[in-house]
Amino acid sequence: MSVVPLLRPRPGNLREVAEKIEEATGLRVQILGGSLVMSPTPRGKHAGVIRRLRAELDPALPDGLAVYEVSSVAMPDDPDDYATPDLIVLPDAWDDDDNWLADAADVGLAVEVISQSEKARGITQKNDWYAVAGVAVLLVIDPRHGTWALHTGPRDGAYQDMVRGKYGEVIPLPVPFGRDLATDGLPLYGAGAAGRH
């Protein structure tokens, strides 16, 4: 069993604290708005949504872009804040980058899959974080209810445009993506194979 050394979170050392927590517990840690946010490792259906979305995204990408998992994006001009979306589309030069934090301006798309235990306040806070960071497109998938929301046009700390839909309806990806994303067949929490849409 790993023990997290006693560290007092304060501006300037939050990343160090987050790294120690991840190392000791295996939890995914992000720093959103100066707060440490910990998430358990995704479970089967959560991971299944991510896998299926990645399979849909890969052929939709133009040359020079690629889909990544477990890559984090930095809040511009903040030494602490970063988020780790479930999927992130970045220039494929990321393959050879030694940094662990991507520049928000390079993010073509961030995808967040809501976990079963996530609260509305946390979801709103995370969406706002991406808008403040200037991430151009945020896709939020909610397997609790079989819904999705595509956020675009970040300005003044908020997304200006949003399209909502439910499983079975295509997600209209903006330029430069080559096609829409299908959502039929994405797993729903609490539903067996017969309960999928």
Coordinates of all heavy atoms in Angstrom, one line a residue, residues 11-100:
P11 N -1.1 27.2 -4.2 CA -0.8 27.6 -5.5 C 0.7 27.4 -5.7 O 1.5 27.7 -4.9 CB -1.2 29.1 -5.6 CG -2.3 29.2 -4.6 CD -1.9 28.2 -3.5
G12 N 1.1 26.8 -6.9 CA 2.5 26.6 -7.2 C 2.9 25.2 -6.9 O 3.9 24.7 -7.5
N13 N 2.2 24.4 -6.1 CA 2.6 23.0 -5.9 C 1.5 22.0 -6.1 O 1.6 20.9 -5.8 CB 3.3 22.8 -4.5 CG 2.3 22.5 -3.4 OD1 1.2 23.0 -3.4 ND2 2.7 21.8 -2.4
L14 N 0.3 22.5 -6.6 CA -0.8 21.6 -6.8 C -0.5 20.5 -7.8 O -0.9 19.4 -7.6 CB -2.0 22.4 -7.3 CG -2.7 23.3 -6.3 CD1 -3.9 24.0 -7.0 CD2 -3.2 22.5 -5.1
R15 N 0.3 20.8 -8.8 CA 0.7 19.7 -9.7 C 1.5 18.6 -9.0 O 1.3 17.4 -9.3 CB 1.5 20.2 -10.9 CG 0.6 20.9 -11.9 CD 1.3 21.2 -13.2 NE 0.4 22.0 -14.1 CZ 0.9 22.7 -15.1 NH1 2.1 22.6 -15.5 NH2 0.0 23.4 -15.8
E16 N 2.4 19.0 -8.1 CA 3.2 18.1 -7.4 C 2.3 17.2 -6.5 O 2.5 16.0 -6.5 CB 4.2 18.8 -6.5 CG 5.1 17.9 -5.7 CD 6.0 18.7 -4.7 OE1 6.0 19.9 -4.8 OE2 6.7 18.0 -3.9
V17 N 1.3 17.8 -5.9 CA 0.4 17.1 -5.0 C -0.4 16.1 -5.9 O -0.6 14.9 -5.5 CB -0.5 18.0 -4.2 CG1 -1.6 17.3 -3.5 CG2 0.3 18.9 -3.2
A18 N -0.9 16.6 -7.0 CA -1.7 15.7 -7.9 C -0.9 14.5 -8.4 O -1.4 13.4 -8.4 CB -2.2 16.5 -9.1
E19 N 0.3 14.7 -8.7 CA 1.2 13.6 -9.2 C 1.4 12.6 -8.1 O 1.4 11.4 -8.3 CB 2.5 14.2 -9.7 CG 2.4 14.9 -11.0 CD 3.7 15.6 -11.4 OE1 4.7 15.4 -10.8 OE2 3.6 16.5 -12.4
K20 N 1.6 13.1 -6.9 CA 1.8 12.1 -5.7 C 0.5 11.3 -5.5 O 0.6 10.1 -5.2 CB 2.2 12.9 -4.5 CG 3.5 13.7 -4.6 CD 4.6 12.8 -4.3 CE 5.9 13.7 -4.2 NZ 7.1 12.9 -4.5
I21 N -0.6 12.0 -5.6 CA -1.9 11.3 -5.3 C -2.1 10.2 -6.4 O -2.5 9.1 -6.1 CB -3.1 12.2 -5.3 CG1 -3.0 13.1 -4.1 CG2 -4.4 11.5 -5.4 CD1 -4.0 14.3 -4.0
E22 N -1.8 10.6 -7.7 CA -2.0 9.6 -8.8 C -1.1 8.4 -8.6 O -1.5 7.3 -8.7 CB -1.7 10.3 -10.2 CG -2.8 11.1 -10.7 CD -2.6 11.5 -12.1 OE1 -1.4 11.4 -12.7 OE2 -3.5 12.1 -12.7
E23 N 0.2 8.7 -8.2 CA 1.2 7.7 -8.0 C 0.8 6.7 -6.9 O 0.9 5.5 -7.0 CB 2.5 8.3 -7.7 CG 3.7 7.4 -7.6 CD 5.0 8.2 -7.3 OE1 5.4 9.0 -8.1 OE2 5.5 7.9 -6.2
A24 N 0.3 7.3 -5.8 CA -0.1 6.5 -4.6 C -1.4 5.7 -4.8 O -1.5 4.6 -4.2 CB -0.1 7.3 -3.4
T25 N -2.4 6.3 -5.5 CA -3.7 5.7 -5.5 C -4.2 5.1 -6.8 O -5.1 4.3 -6.8 CB -4.7 6.8 -5.1 OG1 -4.8 7.8 -6.1 CG2 -4.4 7.4 -3.7
G26 N -3.5 5.6 -7.9 CA -4.0 5.1 -9.2 C -5.2 5.9 -9.7 O -5.7 5.7 -10.8
L27 N -5.7 6.8 -8.9 CA -6.8 7.7 -9.3 C -6.3 8.7 -10.4 O -5.2 9.1 -10.4 CB -7.4 8.5 -8.2 CG -8.1 7.6 -7.1 CD1 -8.5 8.5 -5.9 CD2 -9.3 7.0 -7.6
R28 N -7.2 9.1 -11.3 CA -6.9 10.2 -12.2 C -7.2 11.5 -11.5 O -8.2 11.7 -10.9 CB -7.8 10.0 -13.5 CG -7.5 11.1 -14.5 CD -8.2 10.8 -15.8 NE -9.6 11.3 -15.7 CZ -10.5 11.4 -16.6 NH1 -10.2 10.9 -17.8 NH2 -11.6 11.9 -16.5
V29 N -6.2 12.3 -11.5 CA -6.3 13.6 -10.8 C -6.1 14.7 -11.8 O -5.3 14.7 -12.7 CB -5.2 13.8 -9.7 CG1 -5.3 15.1 -9.0 CG2 -5.3 12.6 -8.7
Q30 N -7.0 15.7 -11.7 CA -7.0 16.9 -12.5 C -7.0 18.1 -11.6 O -7.4 18.0 -10.4 CB -8.2 17.0 -13.5 CG -8.3 15.8 -14.3 CD -9.6 15.8 -15.1 OE1 -9.7 16.4 -16.1 NE2 -10.6 15.1 -14.6
I31 N -6.6 19.3 -12.1 CA -6.7 20.5 -11.3 C -7.6 21.5 -12.1 O -7.2 21.9 -13.1 CB -5.4 21.1 -11.0 CG1 -4.4 20.1 -10.3 CG2 -5.5 22.4 -10.1 CD1 -3.0 20.6 -10.1
L32 N -8.8 21.6 -11.6 CA -9.8 22.5 -12.3 C -10.1 23.7 -11.4 O -10.6 23.5 -10.3 CB -11.1 21.7 -12.6 CG -10.9 20.4 -13.4 CD1 -12.2 19.7 -13.5 CD2 -10.3 20.7 -14.8
G33 N -9.8 24.9 -11.9 CA -10.1 26.1 -11.1 C -9.4 26.1 -9.8 O -10.0 26.6 -8.8
G34 N -8.2 25.5 -9.7 CA -7.5 25.5 -8.4 C -7.9 24.4 -7.5 O -7.4 24.4 -6.3
S35 N -8.8 23.5 -7.9 CA -9.2 22.4 -7.0 C -8.8 21.1 -7.5 O -8.9 20.9 -8.7 CB -10.8 22.4 -6.9 OG -11.2 23.6 -6.3
L36 N -8.3 20.3 -6.6 CA -7.9 18.9 -7.0 C -9.2 18.1 -7.2 O -10.1 18.1 -6.4 CB -7.1 18.2 -5.9 CG -5.7 18.8 -5.7 CD1 -5.1 18.3 -4.4 CD2 -4.8 18.5 -6.9
V37 N -9.3 17.5 -8.4 CA -10.5 16.7 -8.7 C -10.0 15.3 -9.0 O -9.2 15.1 -9.9 CB -11.2 17.3 -10.0 CG1 -12.4 16.4 -10.3 CG2 -11.7 18.7 -9.7
M38 N -10.5 14.3 -8.3 CA -10.0 12.9 -8.4 C -11.1 12.1 -9.0 O -12.3 12.2 -8.6 CB -9.6 12.4 -7.1 CG -8.3 13.0 -6.6 SD -7.9 12.6 -4.9 CE -8.6 13.9 -4.1
S39 N -10.8 11.2 -9.9 CA -11.7 10.3 -10.6 C -11.2 8.9 -10.5 O -10.0 8.7 -10.8 CB -11.9 10.7 -12.0 OG -12.3 12.0 -12.2
P40 N -12.1 7.9 -10.3 CA -11.6 6.5 -10.4 C -11.3 6.1 -11.8 O -11.7 6.8 -12.8 CB -12.8 5.7 -9.9 CG -14.0 6.6 -10.1 CD -13.5 8.0 -10.0
T41 N -10.5 5.0 -12.0 CA -10.3 4.5 -13.3 C -11.6 4.1 -14.0 O -12.5 3.6 -13.3 CB -9.4 3.2 -13.2 OG1 -8.2 3.6 -12.5 CG2 -9.1 2.7 -14.5
P42 N -11.8 4.5 -15.2 CA -13.1 4.2 -15.9 C -13.4 2.7 -15.8 O -12.6 1.8 -16.0 CB -12.8 4.6 -17.3 CG -11.8 5.7 -17.2 CD -10.9 5.2 -16.1
R43 N -14.7 2.4 -15.6 CA -15.2 1.1 -15.6 C -15.5 0.6 -17.0 O -15.5 1.4 -17.9 CB -16.4 1.0 -14.7 CG -16.0 1.2 -13.2 CD -17.2 1.2 -12.3 NE -16.7 1.5 -11.0 CZ -17.2 1.0 -9.9 NH1 -18.1 0.1 -9.9 NH2 -16.8 1.4 -8.7
G44 N -16.0 -0.6 -17.1 CA -16.3 -1.2 -18.4 C -17.1 -0.4 -19.4 O -16.6 -0.1 -20.5
K45 N -18.3 0.1 -19.0 CA -19.1 0.8 -20.0 C -18.6 2.2 -20.3 O -18.6 2.6 -21.4 CB -20.6 0.9 -19.4 CG -21.3 -0.4 -19.5 CD -22.7 -0.3 -19.1 CE -23.4 -1.7 -19.2 NZ -24.8 -1.6 -18.8
H46 N -18.0 2.8 -19.3 CA -17.3 4.1 -19.5 C -16.2 3.9 -20.5 O -16.1 4.7 -21.5 CB -16.7 4.6 -18.2 CG -16.2 6.0 -18.2 ND1 -16.8 7.1 -17.6 CD2 -15.1 6.5 -18.8 CE1 -16.1 8.2 -17.8 NE2 -15.0 7.8 -18.5
A47 N -15.4 2.9 -20.3 CA -14.3 2.6 -21.2 C -14.8 2.2 -22.6 O -14.2 2.5 -23.7 CB -13.4 1.5 -20.7
G48 N -16.0 1.5 -22.6 CA -16.6 1.1 -23.9 C -17.0 2.3 -24.7 O -16.9 2.3 -25.9
V49 N -17.6 3.3 -24.1 CA -18.0 4.5 -24.8 C -16.7 5.2 -25.4 O -16.8 5.5 -26.6 CB -18.7 5.5 -23.8 CG1 -18.9 6.9 -24.5 CG2 -20.0 5.0 -23.4
I50 N -15.7 5.3 -24.6 CA -14.4 5.9 -25.1 C -13.9 5.1 -26.3 O -13.5 5.7 -27.3 CB -13.4 5.9 -24.0 CG1 -13.9 6.9 -22.9 CG2 -12.0 6.4 -24.5 CD1 -13.1 6.8 -21.6
R51 N -13.9 3.8 -26.2 CA -13.3 2.9 -27.3 C -14.1 3.1 -28.6 O -13.6 3.3 -29.7 CB -13.3 1.5 -26.9 CG -12.7 0.6 -27.9 CD -12.9 -0.9 -27.6 NE -14.3 -1.3 -27.6 CZ -15.0 -1.6 -28.8 NH1 -14.4 -1.4 -29.9 NH2 -16.2 -2.0 -28.7
R52 N -15.5 3.1 -28.4 CA -16.3 3.2 -29.6 C -16.2 4.6 -30.2 O -16.2 4.8 -31.5 CB -17.8 2.9 -29.3 CG -17.9 1.4 -29.0 CD -19.3 1.1 -28.4 NE -19.3 -0.3 -28.0 CZ -20.4 -1.0 -27.7 NH1 -21.5 -0.4 -27.8 NH2 -20.3 -2.2 -27.2
L53 N -16.1 5.6 -29.4 CA -16.0 7.0 -30.0 C -14.7 7.1 -30.7 O -14.6 7.8 -31.7 CB -16.1 8.0 -28.9 CG -17.5 8.3 -28.3 CD1 -17.4 9.2 -27.1 CD2 -18.4 8.9 -29.4
R54 N -13.6 6.6 -30.1 CA -12.3 6.6 -30.8 C -12.3 5.9 -32.1 O -11.8 6.4 -33.1 CB -11.2 6.0 -29.9 CG -9.9 6.1 -30.5 CD -8.8 5.7 -29.6 NE -7.5 6.1 -30.3 CZ -6.4 6.2 -29.7 NH1 -6.3 6.1 -28.4 NH2 -5.3 6.6 -30.3
A55 N -13.0 4.8 -32.2 CA -13.1 4.1 -33.5 C -13.9 4.9 -34.5 O -13.6 4.8 -35.7 CB -13.8 2.7 -33.2
E56 N -14.9 5.7 -34.0 CA -15.6 6.6 -34.9 C -14.8 7.8 -35.3 O -14.8 8.3 -36.5 CB -16.9 7.1 -34.2 CG -18.0 6.1 -34.2 CD -18.7 6.0 -35.5 OE1 -19.0 7.1 -36.2 OE2 -19.0 4.9 -36.0
L57 N -14.0 8.3 -34.4 CA -13.2 9.5 -34.7 C -12.0 9.3 -35.6 O -11.8 10.1 -36.5 CB -12.7 10.1 -33.3 CG -13.6 11.1 -32.6 CD1 -13.0 11.4 -31.2 CD2 -13.8 12.4 -33.4
D58 N -11.3 8.2 -35.4 CA -10.1 8.0 -36.2 C -10.3 8.2 -37.7 O -9.5 9.0 -38.3 CB -9.5 6.6 -35.9 CG -8.6 6.6 -34.6 OD1 -8.0 7.6 -34.3 OD2 -8.6 5.5 -34.0
P59 N -11.3 7.6 -38.3 CA -11.4 7.8 -39.8 C -12.0 9.2 -40.1 O -11.9 9.6 -41.3 CB -12.3 6.7 -40.2 CG -13.1 6.3 -39.0 CD -12.2 6.6 -37.8
A60 N -12.4 9.9 -39.2 CA -13.0 11.3 -39.4 C -12.0 12.4 -39.4 O -12.3 13.5 -39.7 CB -14.1 11.6 -38.4
L61 N -10.7 12.0 -39.0 CA -9.7 13.1 -38.9 C -9.0 13.4 -40.1 O -8.6 12.4 -40.9 CB -8.7 12.6 -37.8 CG -9.3 12.5 -36.4 CD1 -8.2 12.0 -35.4 CD2 -9.9 13.8 -35.9
P62 N -8.7 14.6 -40.4 CA -7.9 15.0 -41.6 C -6.4 14.6 -41.2 O -6.0 14.4 -40.1 CB -8.1 16.5 -41.7 CG -8.5 17.0 -40.4 CD -9.2 15.8 -39.7
D63 N -5.6 14.6 -42.3 CA -4.2 14.3 -42.1 C -3.6 15.4 -41.1 O -4.0 16.5 -41.1 CB -3.4 14.4 -43.4 CG -3.7 13.2 -44.3 OD1 -4.2 12.2 -43.8 OD2 -3.4 13.3 -45.5
G64 N -2.7 14.9 -40.2 CA -2.1 15.8 -39.3 C -2.7 15.9 -37.9 O -2.1 16.5 -37.0
L65 N -3.9 15.2 -37.8 CA -4.5 15.2 -36.5 C -4.7 13.7 -36.0 O -4.8 12.8 -36.9 CB -5.9 15.8 -36.5 CG -6.0 17.3 -36.7 CD1 -7.5 17.8 -36.8 CD2 -5.3 18.1 -35.6
A66 N -4.7 13.5 -34.7 CA -4.8 12.2 -34.2 C -5.5 12.2 -32.8 O -5.6 13.3 -32.2 CB -3.4 11.5 -33.9
V67 N -6.1 11.1 -32.5 CA -6.9 10.9 -31.2 C -5.9 10.3 -30.2 O -5.2 9.3 -30.4 CB -8.1 10.0 -31.4 CG1 -8.9 9.9 -30.1 CG2 -9.0 10.5 -32.5
Y68 N -6.0 10.9 -29.0 CA -5.1 10.4 -27.8 C -6.0 10.2 -26.6 O -7.0 10.9 -26.4 CB -4.0 11.5 -27.5 CG -3.1 11.7 -28.6 CD1 -3.3 12.7 -29.6 CD2 -2.0 10.9 -28.8 CE1 -2.4 12.9 -30.6 CE2 -1.1 11.1 -29.8 CZ -1.3 12.1 -30.8 OH -0.4 12.2 -31.8
E69 N -5.6 9.3 -25.8 CA -6.2 9.0 -24.5 C -5.1 9.4 -23.5 O -3.9 9.3 -23.8 CB -6.6 7.6 -24.3 CG -7.7 7.2 -25.2 CD -8.2 5.7 -25.1 OE1 -8.3 5.3 -23.9 OE2 -8.3 5.1 -26.1
V70 N -5.5 9.7 -22.3 CA -4.5 9.9 -21.2 C -3.5 11.0 -21.5 O -2.4 10.9 -21.2 CB -3.8 8.6 -20.7 CG1 -3.2 8.8 -19.3 CG2 -4.8 7.4 -20.7
S71 N -4.0 12.0 -22.2 CA -3.2 13.2 -22.5 C -3.9 14.4 -21.8 O -5.1 14.5 -22.0 CB -3.0 13.4 -24.0 OG -2.1 12.5 -24.5
S72 N -3.2 15.3 -21.2 CA -3.8 16.4 -20.5 C -3.5 17.7 -21.2 O -2.6 17.9 -22.0 CB -3.1 16.5 -19.1 OG -3.4 15.3 -18.4
V73 N -4.4 18.7 -20.9 CA -4.3 20.0 -21.5 C -4.2 21.0 -20.4 O -4.8 20.9 -19.4 CB -5.6 20.2 -22.4 CG1 -6.9 20.1 -21.7 CG2 -5.5 21.6 -23.1
A74 N -3.3 22.0 -20.7 CA -3.0 23.0 -19.7 C -4.0 24.2 -19.8 O -4.4 24.5 -20.9 CB -1.6 23.5 -19.8
M75 N -4.3 24.8 -18.7 CA -5.0 26.1 -18.7 C -3.9 27.1 -19.1 O -2.9 27.2 -18.4 CB -5.6 26.4 -17.3 CG -6.1 27.8 -17.2 SD -7.6 28.1 -18.2 CE -8.9 27.3 -17.3
P76 N -4.1 27.9 -20.1 CA -3.2 28.9 -20.5 C -2.9 29.9 -19.3 O -3.8 30.3 -18.6 CB -3.8 29.7 -21.7 CG -4.8 28.7 -22.2 CD -5.3 27.9 -21.0
D77 N -1.7 30.3 -19.2 CA -1.2 31.2 -18.2 C -1.6 30.9 -16.7 O -1.7 31.7 -15.9 CB -1.9 32.6 -18.5 CG -1.5 33.1 -19.9 OD1 -0.4 32.9 -20.3 OD2 -2.4 33.7 -20.6
D78 N -1.7 29.6 -16.4 CA -1.9 29.1 -15.1 C -0.9 28.0 -14.8 O -0.9 27.0 -15.5 CB -3.3 28.6 -14.9 CG -3.7 28.4 -13.4 OD1 -3.0 27.6 -12.8 OD2 -4.6 29.0 -12.9
P79 N -0.1 28.2 -13.7 CA 0.9 27.2 -13.4 C 0.4 25.9 -12.9 O 1.1 24.9 -12.8 CB 1.8 27.9 -12.4 CG 0.9 28.9 -11.7 CD -0.1 29.3 -12.8
D80 N -0.9 25.9 -12.5 CA -1.4 24.7 -11.8 C -2.4 23.9 -12.6 O -2.4 22.7 -12.8 CB -2.0 25.0 -10.5 CG -0.9 25.3 -9.4 OD1 0.1 24.7 -9.4 OD2 -1.2 26.2 -8.6
D81 N -3.4 24.6 -13.2 CA -4.6 24.0 -13.7 C -4.3 23.2 -15.0 O -3.6 23.6 -15.9 CB -5.7 25.1 -14.1 CG -6.6 25.4 -12.9 OD1 -6.1 25.3 -11.8 OD2 -7.8 25.7 -13.2
Y82 N -5.0 22.0 -15.0 CA -5.0 21.2 -16.2 C -6.1 20.2 -16.1 O -6.6 19.9 -15.0 CB -3.6 20.4 -16.4 CG -3.4 19.3 -15.3 CD1 -3.8 18.0 -15.5 CD2 -2.8 19.6 -14.1 CE1 -3.6 17.0 -14.6 CE2 -2.6 18.7 -13.1 CZ -3.0 17.4 -13.4 OH -2.7 16.4 -12.4
A83 N -6.6 19.7 -17.3 CA -7.6 18.7 -17.3 C -7.1 17.6 -18.2 O -6.3 17.7 -19.1 CB -8.9 19.3 -17.9
T84 N -7.7 16.4 -17.9 CA -7.4 15.2 -18.7 C -8.7 14.6 -19.3 O -9.4 13.9 -18.6 CB -6.7 14.2 -17.8 OG1 -5.5 14.8 -17.2 CG2 -6.2 13.0 -18.7
P85 N -9.0 15.0 -20.5 CA -10.2 14.5 -21.1 C -10.1 13.0 -21.4 O -9.0 12.5 -21.4 CB -10.4 15.3 -22.4 CG -9.0 15.8 -22.7 CD -8.3 16.0 -21.4
D86 N -11.2 12.4 -21.6 CA -11.2 11.0 -21.9 C -10.6 10.7 -23.3 O -9.9 9.8 -23.5 CB -12.6 10.4 -21.9 CG -13.2 10.3 -20.5 OD1 -12.5 9.7 -19.6 OD2 -14.2 11.0 -20.2
L87 N -10.9 11.6 -24.2 CA -10.2 11.6 -25.6 C -9.9 13.0 -25.9 O -10.6 14.0 -25.5 CB -11.2 11.1 -26.6 CG -11.5 9.6 -26.6 CD1 -12.6 9.3 -27.6 CD2 -10.3 8.7 -26.8
I88 N -8.8 13.2 -26.7 CA -8.4 14.5 -27.1 C -7.8 14.4 -28.5 O -7.1 13.5 -28.8 CB -7.4 15.1 -26.1 CG1 -7.0 16.6 -26.4 CG2 -6.1 14.3 -26.0 CD1 -6.2 17.3 -25.3
V89 N -8.2 15.3 -29.4 CA -7.7 15.4 -30.7 C -6.6 16.5 -30.8 O -6.9 17.6 -30.4 CB -8.8 15.6 -31.8 CG1 -8.2 15.8 -33.1 CG2 -9.8 14.5 -31.8
L90 N -5.4 16.1 -31.2 CA -4.3 17.0 -31.2 C -3.5 16.8 -32.5 O -3.7 15.8 -33.2 CB -3.3 16.7 -30.1 CG -3.8 17.0 -28.7 CD1 -2.8 16.3 -27.6 CD2 -3.8 18.5 -28.4
P91 N -2.7 17.8 -32.9 CA -1.8 17.5 -34.0 C -1.0 16.3 -33.8 O -0.5 16.0 -32.6 CB -0.9 18.8 -34.1 CG -1.7 19.8 -33.4 CD -2.5 19.1 -32.4
D92 N -0.7 15.5 -34.8 CA 0.0 14.2 -34.6 C 1.4 14.4 -34.2 O 2.1 13.4 -33.8 CB -0.2 13.2 -35.7 CG 0.3 13.8 -37.1 OD1 1.0 14.8 -37.1 OD2 0.0 13.1 -38.1
A93 N 1.9 15.6 -34.2 CA 3.3 15.9 -33.7 C 3.3 15.6 -32.2 O 4.4 15.5 -31.7 CB 3.6 17.4 -34.0
W94 N 2.2 15.5 -31.6 CA 2.1 15.1 -30.1 C 2.9 13.8 -29.9 O 3.4 13.6 -28.8 CB 0.7 15.1 -29.7 CG 0.5 14.9 -28.2 CD1 -0.1 13.8 -27.6 CD2 0.9 15.8 -27.1 NE1 -0.1 14.0 -26.2 CE2 0.5 15.2 -25.9 CE3 1.5 17.0 -27.1 CZ2 0.7 15.8 -24.7 CZ3 1.7 17.6 -25.9 CH2 1.3 17.0 -24.7
D95 N 2.9 13.0 -30.9 CA 3.6 11.7 -30.8 C 5.0 11.8 -30.3 O 5.6 11.0 -29.7 CB 3.7 10.9 -32.2 CG 2.3 10.4 -32.6 OD1 1.3 10.5 -31.9 OD2 2.3 9.8 -33.7
D96 N 5.7 12.9 -30.8 CA 7.1 13.2 -30.5 C 7.4 14.3 -29.5 O 8.5 14.7 -29.4 CB 7.8 13.5 -31.8 CG 7.7 12.3 -32.8 OD1 7.9 11.2 -32.4 OD2 7.3 12.6 -34.0
D97 N 6.3 14.7 -28.8 CA 6.5 15.8 -27.9 C 6.9 15.3 -26.5 O 6.3 14.3 -26.0 CB 5.2 16.6 -27.8 CG 5.3 18.0 -27.2 OD1 6.0 18.2 -26.2 OD2 4.7 18.9 -27.8
D98 N 7.8 15.9 -25.8 CA 8.3 15.5 -24.5 C 7.4 16.1 -23.4 O 7.6 15.7 -22.2 CB 9.8 15.9 -24.3 CG 10.7 15.0 -25.1 OD1 10.4 13.8 -25.2 OD2 11.8 15.5 -25.5
N99 N 6.6 17.1 -23.7 CA 5.7 17.7 -22.7 C 4.6 16.7 -22.3 O 4.2 15.9 -23.1 CB 5.1 19.0 -23.2 CG 6.2 20.1 -23.4 OD1 7.0 20.3 -22.6 ND2 6.2 20.7 -24.6
W100 N 4.1 16.9 -21.1 CA 2.9 16.1 -20.7 C 1.6 16.9 -20.8 O 0.5 16.3 -20.7 CB 3.1 15.4 -19.4 CG 3.1 16.4 -18.2 CD1 4.1 17.2 -17.7 CD2 2.0 16.6 -17.3 NE1 3.7 17.9 -16.6 CE2 2.4 17.5 -16.4 CE3 0.7 16.1 -17.3 CZ2 1.6 18.0 -15.3 CZ3 -0.1 16.6 -16.2 CH2 0.3 17.5 -15.3

